[in-house]
């Protein structure tokens, strides 16, 4: 899952960046509203976390700009403005949720999971395709309702990317986009290495290779 974090406060931004990375998200952090709008236009994101008070462009303008381009990306507003008017403007302007400053990063992560779940059309807390299930809160996977298996952050990120849409093939660069943020070095065989590790932990047939195209998990396996 790739997240665009838009926050000009260095302390808050660094804390949220660390928390997101610890939860295995690939994160691009920008500090300016104009840059944020450009990034959201150029790159596919699974989620935007948007502060409202920003240099360049105000957060509300960034939100309006994203939605004006028909970009349905899940978006959580981060705001210090605890007044009803701002919250209503954010939600009516197309935000999916909001978090009030100061907030605990654990609450932000829980809201993030909830928004991604709703936007992904799932009711429950687990991702799955009937054969393998994945818990975004604990990073544990289960195959055929067997014992839970702990995954590393990147193993989790890769399996999550596939399980969000079972039956859809993701290429190597699709997967790299969802696992690595800006400035993170990607080894040339990193995706193959992670697939290999996941198959060893979960069984070789859990992830299918479509030769020359990419990888997928079966739909309704
Ligand atoms: Ca700010």
């Amino acid at each position: 899952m790739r997240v665009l974090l838009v926050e000009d406060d260095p302390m808050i931004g660094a804390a949220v960046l660390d928390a997101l990375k610890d939860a295995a998200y690939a994160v691009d952090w920008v500090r300016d509203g104009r840059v944020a709008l450009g990034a959201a236009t150029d790159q596919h994101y699974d989620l935007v976390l948007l502060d409202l008070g920003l240099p360049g462009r105000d957060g509300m303008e960034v939100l309006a700009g994203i939605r004006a381009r028909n970009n349905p990306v899940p978006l959580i507003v981060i705001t210090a403005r605890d007044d009803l008017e701002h919250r209503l403007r954010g939600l009516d302007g197309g935000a999916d949720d909001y978090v009030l400053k100061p907030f605990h990063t654990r609450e932000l992560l829980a809201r993030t999971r909830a928004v991604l779940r709703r936007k992904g059309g799932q009711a429950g807390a687990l991702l799955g395709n009937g054969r393998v299930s994945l818990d975004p809160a604990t990073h544990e996977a289960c195959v055929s309702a067997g014992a839970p298996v702990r995954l590393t952050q990147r193993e989790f990120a890769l399996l999550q990317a596939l399980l969000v849409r079972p039956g859809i093939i993701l290429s190597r660069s699709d997967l790299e986009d969802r696992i690595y943020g800006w400035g993170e070095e990607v080894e040339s065989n990193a995706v193959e290495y992670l697939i290999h590790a996941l198959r060893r932990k979960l069984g070789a047939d859990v992830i299918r290779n479509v030769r020359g195209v990419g990888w997928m998990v079966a739909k309704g396996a």
Side-chain angles (χ1 to χ4, degrees), residues 33-103:
R34 204 179 314 270
V35 177
L37 200 48
T41 305
D42 294 342
Q43 168 81 42
H44 168 85
Y45 289 101
D46 299 291
L47 181 81
V48 176
L49 297 176
L50 178 65
D51 179 34
L52 287 187
L54 292 168
R57 284 266 188 96
D58 182 74
M60 284 303 301
E61 289 178 59
V62 176
L63 172 58
I66 288 173
R67 294 307 187 220
R69 289 162 173 77
N70 281 324
N71 184 342
V73 62
L75 189 146
I76 299 176
V77 158
I78 302 172
T79 179
R81 302 169 188 169
D82 184 15
D83 63 84
L84 182 63
E85 210 48 48
H86 270 102
R87 296 204 297 272
L88 293 181
R89 273 180 61 208
L91 292 169
D92 285 339
D96 297 289
D97 201 355
Y98 63 87
V99 178
L100 283 177
K101 290 180 186 176
F103 55 86

Side-chain angles (χ1 to χ4, degrees):
M1 292 266 172
R2 195 182 183 103
V3 177
L4 178 63
L5 168 62
V6 189
E7 171 61 77
D8 62 316
D9 183 298
M11 299 262 289
I12 296 172
V16 173
L17 178 73
D18 282 351
L20 288 168
K21 282 187 165 180
D22 281 349
Y25 294 97
V27 190
D28 299 337
W29 177 15
V30 302
R31 298 158 181 78
D32 175 282
R34 204 179 314 270
V35 177
L37 200 48
T41 305
D42 294 342
Q43 168 81 42
H44 168 85
Y45 289 101
D46 299 291
L47 181 81
V48 176
L49 297 176
L50 178 65
D51 179 34
L52 287 187
L54 292 168
R57 284 266 188 96
D58 182 74
M60 284 303 301
E61 289 178 59
V62 176
L63 172 58
I66 288 173
R67 294 307 187 220
R69 289 162 173 77
N70 281 324
N71 184 342
V73 62
L75 189 146
I76 299 176
V77 158
I78 302 172
T79 179
R81 302 169 188 169
D82 184 15
D83 63 84
L84 182 63
E85 210 48 48
H86 270 102
R87 296 204 297 272
L88 293 181
R89 273 180 61 208
L91 292 169
D92 285 339
D96 297 289
D97 201 355
Y98 63 87
V99 178
L100 283 177
K101 290 180 186 176
F103 55 86
H104 199 292
T105 50
R106 286 176 58 202
E107 183 191 355
L108 181 66
L109 291 173
R111 286 185 182 276
T112 295
R113 288 192 296 272
V115 164
L116 291 172
R117 201 155 64 223
R118 287 202 300 273
K119 291 285 236 184
Q122 312 150 47
L126 300 181
L127 281 171
N129 67 344
R131 173 151 166 74
V132 58
S133 68
L134 185 65
D135 187 336
T138 64
H139 294 188
E140 287 176 338
C142 287
V143 180
S144 305
V149 179
R150 292 260 333 153
L151 303 180
T152 67
Q153 291 184 3
R154 287 193 165 142
E155 288 164 4
F156 167 80
L158 191 152
L159 186 59
Q160 182 185 41
L162 292 172
L163 276 175
V164 167
R165 289 193 300 161
I168 302 292
I169 301 167
L170 295 180
S171 69
R172 179 206 309 270
S173 71
D174 292 335
L175 288 168
E176 286 173 353
D177 268 358
R178 286 161 176 78
I179 300 171
Y180 299 97
W182 289 340
E184 290 188 87
E185 198 177 327
V186 188
E187 303 268 345
S188 63
N189 58 351
V191 166
E192 279 86 351
Y193 182 83
L194 290 169
I195 300 266
H196 179 71
L198 280 165
R199 283 176 166 161
R200 279 186 55 175
K201 287 186 177 179
L202 304 175
D205 57 336
V206 162
I207 299 172
R208 295 186 189 170
N209 177 230
V210 182
R211 200 166 291 282
V213 186
W215 295 267
M216 60 176 276
V217 293
K219 189 173 182 175

